[in-house]
Amino acid sequence: MRGFALGYERLCRIVLLVFVVNVAFVAHALAGLVVVGLFPSISASYATYRTWALDADQSWGVRRSWTVFHRAWRDDVVSANAFGWPQILVVVLLLWDYFLANSNAMGVLGIAVSGILLLVNVLVLLICAVSWVVRSNFDERPWWVIRMSVAMVIARPLLTVIVAALVVTVSAAWIKWPGILMTFGLSVPIFLIVMAVYSFGRLPGMDAHEDAR
């Protein structure tokens, strides 16, 4: 019974953490008028969850969660935007190419091109998702972070499948229960991606297997 109570308390604290991070995400994104505040909020969310995952005492309250998020956001406004906006540009261009490939009748060639572009889009989105975790863990240049993220997506197929499955599951949950999106926003998939990388990514300094030893 005591084990159940402790597990329930831990679950409640995780739910509180995810909710607080979402509130902080929205507040700080708006503080930066979205254009300036969005990517620092994404970066701060990843950084907050990484810090929590590595903390020996994970019984964080509202104040601790908000403070860690705010400090990460404040210290990363410029570099997070420099890292995030080029990613958005690449993703938009690839999605536009995919749209064009499906909007024009090109026969068998069009189907092949569409399939290749779909695969490329999925891989790029997965690389972008993982890259923010890598970036939160290493103080390296953007190109180094992207190369490491590409290597992880290719060399860690289990991690790649798990991250893809989590994103699909969360998206389906948002469609079926919109209240989850309204209450927890992007905080849920970011938390799950960080936990997936922590558990299966084998990143130096952020590896659940090393911490368990």
Side-chain angles (χ1 to χ4, degrees), residues 3-99:
F4 174 79
L6 291 175
Y8 181 74
E9 180 186 1
R10 176 176 171 79
L11 176 61
C12 290
R13 287 189 178 276
I14 291 175
V15 172
L16 176 63
L17 170 68
V18 174
F19 175 74
V20 172
V21 168
N22 181 52
V23 174
F25 183 107
V26 174
H28 286 75
L30 292 176
L33 301 178
V34 180
V35 175
V36 176
L38 175 61
F39 289 111
S41 293
I42 293 174
S43 176
S45 298
Y46 278 93
T48 300
Y49 288 137
R50 175 191 177 274
T51 303
W52 176 85
L54 298 178
D55 196 343
D57 179 16
Q58 295 182 336
S59 57
W60 288 19
V62 174
R63 181 176 180 180
R64 171 70 169 155
S65 303
W66 186 278
T67 300
V68 172
F69 185 100
H70 178 70
R71 288 175 179 172
W73 188 91
R74 180 192 60 197
D75 296 339
D76 202 25
V77 172
V78 176
S79 56
N81 279 299
F83 187 74
W85 282 111
Q87 286 188 350
I88 285 293
L89 178 60
V90 171
V91 169
V92 169
L93 288 175
L94 286 173
L95 290 175
W96 178 248
D97 287 340
Y98 180 70
F99 171 77

Side-chain angles (χ1 to χ4, degrees), residues 142-171:
W143 278 116
W144 187 95
V145 172
I146 295 299
R147 288 198 301 270
M148 171 65 81
S149 303
V150 171
M152 287 184 63
V153 169
I154 295 174
R156 304 275 195 275
L158 177 60
L159 171 65
T160 302
V161 171
I162 290 174
V163 171
L166 289 173
V167 172
V168 171
T169 302
V170 171
S171 299

